[in-house]
Amino acid sequence: MTTHRLEGQHIGGRGRLADYANLVKLPHTVFAMPFAMVGATLASYRYRVQALDVLLILVAFTAARFAAMGFNRIVDRGIDARNPRTQMREIPAGKLTVGEATASVIIASLVFFVCAGLLNRLCLYLAPLALGWILFYSYTKRFTRYAHLVLGFALAIAPVGAYLAIAGEWSRPAGALLVLAGAVLCWVAGFDILYSLQDIDFDRGEGLHSIPAALGIRGALAFSRVLHALSAAQFIALGALLPELGPAYFVGAAIVAGMLVYEQSLVKADDLSKIDAAFFTLNGIISVVFFLIVLGERLFA
């Protein structure tokens, strides 16, 4: 009898709620949502924050992420069905139909637009661009090895969008938001390269593009490490750009840098057994701890 191994971070149980949660890998929300809250926290130094704003940011982020992940599962359903690692995902496994997934993506997209409109006019104007970019990501591995960077840019929208939701205008200095977005972009792209090492043989066989498929395991590890070094440097630079950030922020940036070094140490060219820990556990801790430090300094410093 053939047995199928479920992917990591799978929510157990039966029923539609579990199916939809697994369709979009709900636990992976822990990666970018804390950084969205970092953006809102940084904006709060100069702009008033209301509880409704925070609620709308959280709902908008969750809806956009649901739409993006659901769309990705629809677009990739054929590929997922052929990949032993992903063939038990909800659509290829028959737990959800394409129609059901499509309906959920449409509803999530509408919720995102409504929240953006309720936040401010700038967010509403930028919402189509943001959603368009994160949906576009689903096609990129068909034609570019740099799909990881496109994904990183997609998640980097979260802290920028949350800042704009509170401020209604770009940061001062202008480079602050760019550096924050760059830090998140490099962090996400770096760990996504590590995660995609699992599919290097499959991607090559299917003609799909990725850094591991193009550069091999050692080349991909080197690329990922450069990205994580750039990410750590940009987190530190953000503290230098914003005078309101004090010593606690730099402690948080140092913790992020140290955990990125540890994350990279877990994955070796001849040992990929700890990819799941490097991908989910450490990156989830990085995002949550960094947010708590930024929030703690804002509230108590």
Side-chain angles (χ1 to χ4, degrees):
M1 182 176 67
T2 301
T3 58
H4 299 282
R5 183 174 65 89
L6 294 174
E7 288 184 281
Q9 301 88 55
H10 184 86
I11 296 175
R14 297 181 178 180
R16 277 292 182 260
L17 287 179
D19 290 339
Y20 282 111
N22 286 320
L23 175 74
V24 299
K25 283 291 183 185
L26 189 62
H28 290 187
T29 305
V30 73
F31 295 148
M33 183 175 282
F35 278 104
M37 292 296 97
V38 167
T41 303
L42 294 179
S44 74
Y45 280 97
R46 300 181 182 182
Y47 305 91
R48 183 170 176 239
V49 179
Q50 301 183 53
L52 179 59
D53 295 331
V54 175
L55 177 61
L56 288 171
I57 289 170
L58 292 174
V59 175
F61 172 86
T62 302
R65 187 188 173 279
F66 190 108
M69 288 293 294
F71 185 76
N72 179 264
R73 296 301 188 248
I74 295 167
V75 171
D76 281 356
R77 62 190 185 278
I79 295 172
D80 289 342
R82 296 191 295 274
N83 187 342
R85 185 179 66 83
T86 60
Q87 61 190 197
M88 289 306 293
R89 285 178 175 172
E90 280 56 44
I91 295 178
K95 296 178 182 178
L96 290 172
T97 67
V98 173
E100 289 170 331
T102 300
S104 69
V105 168
I106 293 172
I107 292 171
S109 300
L110 291 174
V111 170
F112 172 65
F113 283 121
V114 169
C115 290
L118 290 173
L119 282 163
N120 58 56
R121 186 172 297 179
L122 178 60
C123 287
L124 180 61
Y125 290 162
L126 293 176
L129 296 176
L131 188 62
W133 183 269
I134 61 179
L135 296 184
F136 165 69
Y137 159 73
S138 293
Y139 295 103
T140 51
K141 64 184 175 183
R142 290 161 171 81
F143 61 86
T144 177
R145 70 180 66 174
Y146 300 112
H148 318 280
L149 298 176
V150 178
L151 177 64
F153 191 100
L155 270 69
I157 291 172
V160 174
Y163 185 99
L164 297 178
I166 299 299
E169 60 182 7
W170 197 257
S171 65
R172 298 191 301 271
L177 274 184
L178 294 177
V179 169
L180 176 58
V184 174
L185 188 160
C186 291
W187 167 60
V188 171
F191 73 65
D192 189 60
I193 290 172
L194 297 182
Y195 190 68
S196 67
L197 287 168
Q198 300 173 99
D199 293 328
I200 184 170
D201 293 330
F202 178 80
D203 288 347
R204 285 172 171 171
E206 290 282 321
L208 298 173
H209 299 271
S210 70
I211 292 295
L215 303 182
I217 294 176
R218 294 186 185 279
L221 287 174
F223 202 107
S224 174
R225 286 165 184 168
V226 169
L227 286 171
H228 277 173
L230 290 172
S231 177
Q234 287 178 99
F235 279 124
I236 294 170
L238 179 64
L241 283 170
L242 294 176
E244 55 264 41
L245 296 177
Y249 174 83
F250 288 98
V251 170
I255 289 174
V256 168
M259 295 189 73
L260 289 175
V261 170
Y262 179 60
E263 176 180 343
Q264 291 291 338
S265 74
L266 292 177
V267 184
K268 301 177 176 63
D270 58 353
D271 183 8
L272 304 180
S273 62
K274 296 180 180 178
I275 284 180
D276 199 56
F279 171 70
F280 182 76
T281 306
L282 273 177
N283 288 300
I285 293 173
I286 285 171
S287 61
V288 171
V289 168
F290 186 71
F291 165 60
L292 291 177
I293 289 175
V294 171
L295 179 64
E297 181 175 58
R298 178 68 181 92
L299 294 177
F300 305 114

